[in-house]
Every structure is written in structure tokens, then in C-alpha cells.
Amino acid sequence: MSKLKVVSEKSLTNNSRIVGLLAQLEKINTESAESDTARYVTSKILHLAQSQEKTRREMTAKGSTGMEVLLSTLENTKDLQTTLNILSILVELVSAGGGRRASFLVAKGGSQILLQLLTNASKESPQNEELMVQIHSILAKIGPKDKKFGVKARINGALNITLNLVKQNLQNHRLVLPCLQLLRVYSANSVNSVSLGKNGVVELLFKIIGPFSKKNSGLMKVALDTLAALLKSKTNARRAVDRGYVQVLLTIYVDWHRHDNRHRNMLIRKGILQSLKSVTNIKLGRKAFIDANGMKILYNTSQECLAVRTLDPLVNTSSLIMRKCFPKNRLPLPTIKSSFHFQLPVIPVTGPVAQLYSLPPEVDDVVDESDDNDELDLEAENETENEDDVDQNFKNDDIETDINKLKPQQEPGRTIEELKMYEHLFPELVDDFQDYDLISKEPKPFVFEGKVRGPIVVPTAGEEASGNSGNLRKGVVRKVHVSPKGDEGDKKPTCMDLAKEDMKDNGRTSQQQPGDQNRTISSTQGLNNDIVKALDRITLQNLPSQTGPGFTAGGKKDYSLPLTVLTCTKACPHMAACGNVLFEGRTVQLGKLCCTGVETEDDEDTESTSSVEQTSVEVSDGPTLHDSDLYIEIVKNTKSVPEYSEVAYPDYFGHIPPPFKEPILERPYGVQRTKIAQDIERLIHQSDIIDRVVYDLDNPNYTIPEEGDILKFNSKFESGNLRKVIQIRKNEYDLILNSDINSNHYHQWFYFEVSGMRPGVAYRFNIINCEKSNSQFNYGMQPLMYSVQEALNARPWWIRVGTDICYYKNHFSRSSVAAGGQKGKSYYTITFTVNFPHKDDVCYFAYHYPYTYSTLQMHLQKLESAHNPQQIYFRKDVLCETLSGNTCPLVTITAMPESNYYEHICQFRNRPYVFLSARVHPGETNASWVMKGTLEYLMSNNPTAQSLRESYIFKIVPMLNPDGVINGNHRCSLSGEDLNRQWQSPNPDLHPTIYHAKGLLQYLAAVKHLPLTLPKILSHIAPAFCMSSCSFVVEKSKESTARVVVWREIGVQRSYTMESTLCGCDQGKYKGLQIGTRELEEMGAKFCVGLLRLKRLTSPLEYNLPSSLLDFENDLIESNCKVTSPTTYVLDEDEPRFLEEVDYSAESNDDLDTELAENAGDYEPSAQEEALSDSELSRTYLP
């Protein structure tokens, strides 16, 4: 204790000493005492400041007057030594204390006093070198902390004082060094930078900068930093270009690169690159860089640096410069408008669609010269000193703060007479159920009409698919007829029939037909070489199901994927024709099967006595809503703009979740710069580029390459999107996506077929016309692939594939026509590399798990045919017809009343409504999978589902944008507009689904059935739900969305948009895993469970719960969810910004350089870019 006491007393003595010295100095100031005394006191203070941190802390502590005393003395003293002492004290204070003490000095008025001192000292003759060194040193430290420093320095005339000092003392490195540091601070202000440039500062700095030298490396580093700051001014950059300094910088860089063998001068080398980066912000600088062979120089030097990890900053900066200078190219398209045209019944008067239709036909909308216009130099005329203040006072103007607009104001919109058109969609409100036999002692089981016997089990992500192959049922039979003519070795298959077969537990039996020359091949062996070679194109016929001769199979449960008959349409030398390909009016083809045979899984013996060849698609032991026969029937009635006649194999076979987890992909270090370097090689080694079109929707007469090593592509099927493919190198392809119909942008969704591949080859795919500024592909998301051979080998599922995946800005320029008038925008590239496991397979790639309109109709029909009408009230109505004539389904689900007695009918009619909708954006297929999980759960025999049906009436529009889904759009309907932005004033001719969905809700409001909160409950029961990411604010930019309009105009108090990731989870049970259909469907089921829990919480009397639980969730939301949630408005996109390394992001290009700092408006996202951001999945409107 005594020791601690001694320390305390000593500390007190020191503190008292500095306080006493400061008080003595203050007294000297007021009494104008002799300078000797001031000199003595300041020297004592300097000694204490140099030797003791406590003294420095005391002098800059809050409430201390020490800084004011020192500055007052500095301002008033005429003694040179006293001035030098105080300046030394200030240097000690700001050097050791970091930014806080420098800011403290600025707050006390230090920068103005020091600038005045500099001005006074410059008038003395001769000037005192020590004084100038000290003043410049301290100003260089505190200047960056003073937002008005640039203006103050210019007004005091300090710019020319410092510049002249450098000019007159080039050989005095001790004086020039702090002067250059201060010049760099001056240059942060664009007006100062232009002024200094006019006075010759650029030329002056190039007298200091030179080739490799071991001397004065510190001065060289500071000079380069100053030059880089000055060249951010376009005026100075142009001056440097005019004097040939771009070539000089490149020469100097190469010299330092060659001689700096031990990499001790990396900062100097980076400084040269930073200067090049600044000068190439202007078009002239980029041209000079190209003319000086800069691309090749930086490419070669950066490749040599790759081996040394510490040189990564040089590699990254070189990559940025080369990306910026890469000549902008136009997309190799005749027009950026969609390849498909749909004539609208009404042309909008204003908006992007109206502009699209008003463009003259001769306008080249792919690119325009204005995108590369010379930038005007306006720095001298426009002072920008207040930019920091603007940033400081930034507020989000998008958040609605008008109290009147934050209250729902029910607006009738349409009259009661007009709304009566929706009465027929609500028969449950008037039906008396007198004709129904509602009382059933033993409810009927929930069955699939002889196919699936047993309850629907909602798949949950926690359940793994059975690994017991004995439980898998085989249900696809391929029947092959072989021509009876010719020798056995020459036999060729002519037709392949796929028929539905029943399976029995006792296995299969095979009988030999007398004289039959056919043979049976086991499912694991599949199609042989000859068979598939004949299947150049196969078409589907609507033939009845049949059992193959000599083959019987059956089972207690049949979870097969039944297939219709396939007929080969290719001419066969052994047969005149293979059969007709007529559907009732239209042919539907099942895409090209290019494989040379399904690869066998093992070498098990095969039977050769049966007339049936069997190839099974095995699925897990569980129910399925997939019926391939039914799917084909539905496809025939689906209307697409391109009039698709093909069916993609994944949609035909169906998808089951794989029995394994798929973790989020770990991003390899430096993958993005590696891919960019390969892109730059296209410019440097142009002779290596093939540049051959191998797929083109715009040119129906393009020649399909016959070479065996070239991939074949196709997207001519429902929901497909791929417009053009160009072979770049032997195994690298550029892919271009199609715009949404009646639009010239929205490229993100893709779904296409690839065939003709070779195993063991790394194929690189580059989708080069994406528009979003970032993507989950930068965070571990992988594209999806479906292999036909895998499906035939009992693995019919989409899997995540691809390596070396990244998303970055490319050199293809976006026309201002497509960028909402903004100039200089670029497209982005998704790149991924795939190794295919099978030779000549047929594979499909997709942005997310595809879910087509025909799939939805198939699922709804299966649900309708399988439900128990005594338990479940199920109706499938047509809400309306879409623009292209497809029906928009409306589903009603609830529980049948217990009886047709009055009390039970009243309870039935007074159930509150829950209105759900999904898939307003076609590219967000995850919405449909969540909706599928909801529908299956609501139709299940689960007791919770029954309780839920007894509590609510569900009105569901599972697909609000059928036309967009069918035609492979990403965001829009056929009207070329985002339907979720049309809820305020939907046009019945252009937005029929929105118009009538809104009418449904208005009708419910009119008849007093307004469609008790949900999110917090979901966060407890749904592993994939994240409460902290929820947002409950109203944004002005989204006032026309369903969530806001339904709440504000119709008065639905609890209107939500539920969003889902396309990538994976960063919290909870599924953290680190990519999302799959199992998890999405589970979310739909958990949503239903959440509704029931909500019902119990908000009906305490019915469920004997305490009334205090009524406000349970509101309290939880208020305490757990802030309006400053990052997903609310901090992010412009639905993904966070990604930084691979410092200043090396998906957005890192000239957009992040000074041009944007000087033109802040360019940084704001356009309306089009903002429209790409939200990922709205399904809407919940609760009573």
C-alpha cells in the first residue's frame, strides 16, 4: 500500500508541475513579461512533454486549458526560440496521440493560427529553415483533421508559400519532405489541386521522381503520394498526359520492378501505380496508357509478383488499372431488347416501356458514344469544400417520416358494384353445405388416387433421405423396339417407349417372348451406345400408360416418376418412320439426348430375355407430387411467346433434394484477379481467341458446330434463358442472357442446357451481361446443375457445382438507354468453372432451383385429386388470364365445417382470411419452393395442419407472374414492368394479375372480412428464419409495392413480405450451408405452424392462455428489431458489398475512384439498379 501511495504522490507532483508551468506561461502572456522567461517555461514544458506520456495526456485532456495557453503564446510571441519550443511541444502532442489529439488541436483553432504563422514566417528574410520545417510538419499532421483546411490554406496564401519553398530548396531534403507532405494535404481539395497544377507542381514533382536509387527513398515515396493526390484532378491528369508523363511513369515503374529484388521499396512501387491509377481516370490517360503498351507492361510485372504474397498490393492495383483501361466493348448483340417480341394491348404513356417503344428503329441501343465522352473540367469553377458536411449530415430520405402517410387510410378504389365480379371466387361465404355429407366417423385417408397411399409428410431439412437403396422404388420403364431386319450386329433401335409400370415388393419378373429379338438391360446399365445414337431428337406422344409385355411389377407404394411415350423422329435406315409426333395441335419435344450412353454404375449381369429395357429414376421413400405424364399434358396448354415445343429434362424427371448437405463454397484466395488476368490476356494475346458463335437466338440460321469437342447449348424450353454463346478459347465460353420481354435490361436469371462435353476437362463459363453491382456468387453461392445421366442413375436432383466462382465488373459497356440515362456504366460477369463427370451427358444450369408454371399447375392438380373432401375444403379457381392467355390460379384451402348445422356453418364463414401470394418476380424461384412447402403442409393430415385449416381460410395466388416465369424473365411480366411496383394503380390490361389480386383484397374489405404478429414466432420455430434481418419501415421508393399498398389502402394491419436467400444461411441450424429445396419447403411448412401459434397467442380464451400473451410479439418486435436493420436501407442491393482485398471489390473500377468523389451523383443507384435489389418472395395478409 505504501508503494502505491508513493506513486500517487509522485504523479500528483508531476501534474502539479505541468499545471504550474502552464499557469506561469499564461501569466507571462497577460503581463507581456520578458521573452527569456517565456523561453525558459516553454523549454521546461517541452522537456516534460518529450519524456512523460502523462504530461501529454494531461495537456490534451477534456477540460484542460493547456492547448489554449500554448496557442495563445504562439500567436503573440515575437521570440523565435519560444515559437520553436511551442511548435516542438505541439509536434510531440500530435505525434504520440494519433488522430484524437490532432482533432483536439484543430478544435482549439490551431490550424488557423499555424497558417497565419506560416504566412508571417514567409515574409522574413532570410527565412528560418527550422521554423519552416516545424510549421509544415505539424500542419501536415493536423490538416487531414480539419474539414475546412483547404479553404483556410488558400485564403491565407499558404499554397504558393509551400510550393515556392520546394522550388527554391530542391536539394534540401530535410525541408522539402514536410513541404511535400503538406502539398499532399492541400491537394485533397480539388480547387487547390487545380491551382497548384497551374503553378507547375506536376512538373516540379517529376524533377524529384526518378529511376531506381537507394538514396532518398523516403522523399521519393512522399513525392509519389503527393503526385497521386494531385493527378486525381482531371486538369492535372490532362497536363501530365500532354507532357508524356504516362510513359515516364511506366518506365520508372519497370526500373524499380527490375532492381528492387528484395522488395524493400514496395511502397515506392505502389506509389507509382497509384499515380498511374489517378491519371487513367480520364479518357486521355487511358488512351496514353494503352499507346505506351501499359497493359502488357503491368500484366507481365504483376504476373511476376504473384509468387510473393507480400506484393499482393501491387498485383491488385495493377489489376485495377488494367481493368479500367481495358477498351470498352459493346455487347455482340444486334439490340439489347429481348430476342422475343410481344405486342402489348396498350402502350404506357410514360416510363421505360414507353421509351422503348418510342425509340426510332435506326437507333443503336447497344452502346452510344456518349458513354465515353470527355469529362469536363469543372473543378476550378465548382468548389467542393462542403462535401464533407454533406456526408456528415447524411440521412436516408427514402424512409417515410410523414405521420399521415404512416397511418393506413382505407381507400375504396372500386365501387361495391365493380367488386361484385369477385363474388364467385368466394363461394365459401355463401355455401350452406346442404348437399355435402360432412359427418364422417372415420375420415378418409389422404391418398394419391392409387399412386401414393399414406399421408403427405412435409419434408423438413432435418430429415435426411433414406440411404437404404432397398426402400427405393423404380418406376420408369423404357421400352425399345429393334428392327427385325438385318444381322444382329447391325440392329438399330428405332423407337423408345417409356410407360408407367406398377412395382411389387416381390421384385420384377421377366418372361421371354418366343421369337422376340429384344433384350432387357438393367436400370444401372441404361441405354446402350446404339440406342442413344439414334435418339438425336425425341418427341413426346400422348399415349395411355401401359405395362410392357412380359414384365410385371408392383408395390405397396409407388413413388415413380411416370413417363409418357417417347418416339424418335430421326430417320432410321432400317425403318421408314418411327411414329407420329402429334399432340392435339402441337408437338412437344423432350430436349436432345446427346449422350452416347448412360454410364453404368456397376457391372452387374443383365437379363437378355425380356422385351423391355428398363431405366429407372429412383426417388427417396416419400410422397411426390411429380407426374411426368401429367406434366406433359399441362405443357401442351402452356402458352409462351417463343412457342416453346421442348421440355427440359429436369422439369420432366422432377427434382428431389439430394441426401447430403451442400456447404457454402469457400472462396479461393485471389480468384477474382486471376479471372480478370485471363480476361486481360484476350487483349494482349488476341491470336489465341477463337471468337466463334455457337448459339444465337437472334439468328435462327446460325450453324451448329459439328466438331466433337465443342459444347452445344439450348434454352428453348419453359423458363429457359440464354440468348447467345461465343466460344472464346477451346474450353471457355461467353454467355449472354436475354432481357426481360418488352424491356432492355434485367439480366440475372439463367436456365440452359449444355451437351457434348468431355469428362476431366475444366470448362469455364462467363455470363457477361449481368447488371447488379454485386452478387451472392461472391459469398460462396454456386450455380445449380442437373445431369440427365445422374437422373437415369437414380439421382434426379439439382446440385451445387462450380469452382473459381466470382462476380466482377467487366469491359462491356451498358448503353445509357438501358441504364436509365446514366452514362459510363458497365456490365458484370458471373464466371464459374465446371468439370463434368460423364461423357456426352446432357446437363442443365440454373441460377436457382427452377420451378416452372407447368410444374405449379401439375402440383395443384395432384393436390386437388388427392385431398379428402370430407376433411379439406379445396378449390382451384382462375383469378384471371394473363397477357399471353395463361390462367393465373387462385387456391382456397380451409377445413370443411363439422356439419351443415347453423352453428358450424357460421363458424366456417367467420374464419379470418390469410392471403398469400408468391413469384411476382420470375427469377426468384425460391418463392415457389417455399409456397410448395406451404401448400403441401396445408393439405396434409398433420393434426397441426387440420387445426390451422379450422382456424383460417387461405386464399393463395401461388404465382402472380405466370408469363414472366414461362418466358424466362428475371424481374418483369410481358408488360416489361416490375409487377410489384404496380399495386398503387394497376392497369387491368397491362397488369391483370395485380389488378385482380388487389380486387380480391378490396372485395374482402368491402364485405368486412379484412384479411395476430408473426415474425418473432417464426424466428423461434423456423431454423432458416432470421428476426434480426427483418425490417418494419416504409420506404418511399417502395410505396407502390404490395406490402405497403395492401396495408395503407386496404387496411390490412399485418402485411408482410417474406424474403429468402438464394445462397445460404449465416446463423442458426443451417449456418454455413447453401439453401436447398428441402430447407425452402420446410420454411413454408414452418410458416403454417407459426400461424397456428399466432392464433393461440391471440385467442387466449379459446386456448385457455393468459391474456397477457396478446401483446407477446409486439413487445418482442419492439425490443429486438430496430428500424436501422441493415436490410432496411443501408444496402442498395440484396447482398452486402464484397471486398476481396483492399479496394478490390466487385465494384472496384473507376466507379470508386475520384470521378465519383467529385461527382457524387454518379454513386447513387439508378431506378433500374434499385429495382434489381429486393428479393420479395411471398406476401402474407392477415386479418
Side-chain angles (χ1 to χ4, degrees), residues 8 104 169 184 260 271 288 309 315 317 367 387 415 565 593 682 688 692 723 842-843 849 938 961 1079 1111:
S8 177
F104 185 77
N169 300 275
R184 180 186 176 189
D260 187 25
R309 189 73 173 266
V315 178
T317 308
V367 72
E387 287 179 359
T415 65
V565 175
L593 195 62
R682 298 188 189 188
D688 296 341
R692 173 167 46 185
R723 180 172 186 168
V842 179
C843 293
Y849 300 93
L938 289 176
N961 193 348
E1079 290 80 15
D1111 297 324

Side-chain angles (χ1 to χ4, degrees), residues 340-402:
F340 309 129
H341 176 70
F342 180 84
Q343 183 61 43
L344 295 176
V346 178
I347 307 300
V349 179
T350 59
V353 180
Q355 295 173 5
L356 199 70
Y357 272 81
S358 64
L359 281 177
E362 67 275 5
V363 170
D364 182 0
D365 62 354
V366 181
V367 72
D368 49 29
E369 290 301 322
S370 60
D371 288 354
D372 286 327
N373 64 332
D374 274 328
E375 301 87 351
L376 298 177
D377 298 311
L378 301 176
E379 298 100 327
E381 291 79 15
N382 297 299
E383 297 191 3
T384 57
E385 288 83 4
N386 295 324
E387 287 179 359
D388 291 328
D389 293 341
V390 173
D391 294 338
Q392 187 71 19
N393 299 322
F394 170 78
K395 63 178 181 179
N396 183 26
D397 294 330
D398 193 34
I399 300 298
E400 184 60 75
T401 55
D402 187 339

Side-chain angles (χ1 to χ4, degrees), residues 851 856 860 863 915-919 925-938 955-959 1058 1080-1081 1083-1085 1087-1088 1177-1179:
Y851 191 101
L856 170 67
L860 292 180
L863 287 171
F915 182 86
L916 305 175
S917 71
R919 207 68 184 278
T925 59
N926 43 6
S928 287
W929 289 101
V930 174
M931 180 60 78
K932 179 176 181 285
T934 297
L935 288 169
E936 289 187 18
Y937 190 84
L938 289 176
K955 285 287 183 184
I956 302 173
V957 184
M959 191 172 284
M1058 184 161 67
L1080 293 170
E1081 291 183 50
M1083 185 66 237
F1087 165 78
C1088 296
L1177 301 179
S1178 56
R1179 285 161 193 86

Side-chain angles (χ1 to χ4, degrees), residues 98 188 229 331 367 376 413 422 455 494 544 677 857 909 916 1010 1129 1132 1145:
L331 281 177
V367 72
L376 298 177
Y422 300 109
T494 58
Q857 293 285 37
R909 293 180 181 175
L916 305 175
L1010 263 183
Y1129 56 81
D1132 296 329
S1145 68

Side-chain angles (χ1 to χ4, degrees), residues 629-664:
D629 289 331
L630 179 58
Y631 186 83
I632 294 301
E633 287 299 312
I634 292 170
V635 167
K636 291 188 297 182
N637 298 313
T638 299
K639 300 172 184 176
S640 61
V641 174
E643 298 183 351
Y644 291 131
S645 62
E646 297 180 28
V647 175
Y649 275 98
D651 304 322
Y652 181 68
F653 283 138
H655 159 81
I656 61 173
F660 48 83
K661 302 296 184 183
E662 297 180 286
I664 290 175

Side-chain angles (χ1 to χ4, degrees), residues 304-479:
E304 292 171 8
C305 293
L306 286 176
V308 184
R309 189 73 173 266
T310 55
L311 298 181
D312 278 356
L314 303 183
V315 178
N316 296 338
T317 308
S318 296
S319 295
L320 287 173
I321 297 169
M322 288 187 287
R323 289 174 67 188
K324 188 192 308 183
C325 296
F326 200 113
K328 291 289 184 182
N329 293 341
R330 58 175 286 154
L331 281 177
L333 295 174
T335 173
I336 54 175
K337 294 192 288 287
S338 173
S339 297
F340 309 129
H341 176 70
F342 180 84
Q343 183 61 43
L344 295 176
V346 178
I347 307 300
V349 179
T350 59
V353 180
Q355 295 173 5
L356 199 70
Y357 272 81
S358 64
L359 281 177
E362 67 275 5
V363 170
D364 182 0
D365 62 354
V366 181
V367 72
D368 49 29
E369 290 301 322
S370 60
D371 288 354
D372 286 327
N373 64 332
D374 274 328
E375 301 87 351
L376 298 177
D377 298 311
L378 301 176
E379 298 100 327
E381 291 79 15
N382 297 299
E383 297 191 3
T384 57
E385 288 83 4
N386 295 324
E387 287 179 359
D388 291 328
D389 293 341
V390 173
D391 294 338
Q392 187 71 19
N393 299 322
F394 170 78
K395 63 178 181 179
N396 183 26
D397 294 330
D398 193 34
I399 300 298
E400 184 60 75
T401 55
D402 187 339
I403 298 299
N404 294 324
K405 293 183 179 180
L406 290 174
K407 296 177 181 177
Q409 301 170 350
Q410 277 187 253
E411 301 175 8
R414 286 181 257 178
T415 65
I416 298 296
E417 293 301 318
E418 290 178 305
L419 293 174
K420 282 186 178 179
M421 64 184 293
Y422 300 109
E423 275 184 346
H424 72 284
L425 298 176
F426 295 89
E428 65 272 11
L429 294 179
V430 296
D431 202 332
D432 57 11
F433 294 92
Q434 296 304 314
D435 298 330
Y436 291 78
D437 181 15
L438 298 177
I439 302 174
S440 176
K441 296 179 180 178
E442 295 183 3
K444 295 180 183 178
F446 188 58
V447 299
F448 272 105
E449 294 185 340
K451 290 184 182 177
V452 178
R453 297 175 178 84
I456 282 187
V457 180
V458 176
T460 63
E463 298 171 2
E464 296 292 341
S466 172
N468 186 352
S469 60
N471 292 332
L472 300 178
R473 300 290 182 259
K474 302 176 179 180
V476 179
V477 180
R478 291 183 179 256
K479 184 177 181 180

Side-chain angles (χ1 to χ4, degrees), residues 723-861:
R723 180 172 186 168
K724 190 172 186 176
V725 180
I726 302 170
Q727 185 182 20
I728 300 300
R729 298 181 178 95
K730 182 178 179 181
N731 299 315
E732 181 179 354
Y733 297 84
D734 279 357
L735 283 61
I736 301 175
L737 303 180
N738 199 17
S739 302
D740 285 5
I741 294 175
N742 277 315
S743 170
N744 54 18
H745 55 122
Y746 299 119
H747 315 103
Q748 205 76 16
W749 167 256
F750 57 86
Y751 182 20
F752 57 88
E753 173 193 291
V754 179
S755 58
M757 64 284 294
R758 296 288 180 266
V761 176
Y763 292 94
R764 178 182 172 184
F765 299 98
N766 311 306
I767 300 175
I768 63 173
N769 65 329
C770 299
E771 294 174 324
K772 295 176 70 172
S773 61
N774 209 344
S775 169
Q776 289 288 347
F777 284 112
N778 275 335
Y779 298 85
M781 186 171 87
Q782 296 172 277
L784 286 149
M785 188 184 83
Y786 191 105
S787 164
V788 172
Q789 289 205 16
E790 288 292 299
L792 296 175
N793 284 325
R795 292 183 286 272
W797 47 61
W798 287 94
I799 59 169
R800 303 278 186 170
V801 298
T803 57
D804 294 343
I805 301 172
C806 58
Y807 186 98
Y808 57 90
K809 181 179 289 186
N810 61 34
H811 58 277
F812 291 102
S813 60
R814 289 178 64 188
S815 167
S816 58
V817 174
Q822 296 188 79
K823 300 175 181 179
K825 294 292 181 180
S826 295
Y827 286 105
Y828 290 78
T829 291
I830 300 171
T831 182
F832 56 94
T833 301
V834 176
N835 283 274
F836 295 99
H838 304 291
K839 181 181 181 182
D840 290 332
D841 195 0
V842 179
C843 293
Y844 293 79
F845 289 95
Y847 183 67
H848 198 64
Y849 300 93
Y851 191 101
T852 65
Y853 169 78
S854 298
T855 298
L856 170 67
Q857 293 285 37
M858 175 188 65
H859 286 167
L860 292 180
Q861 286 196 33

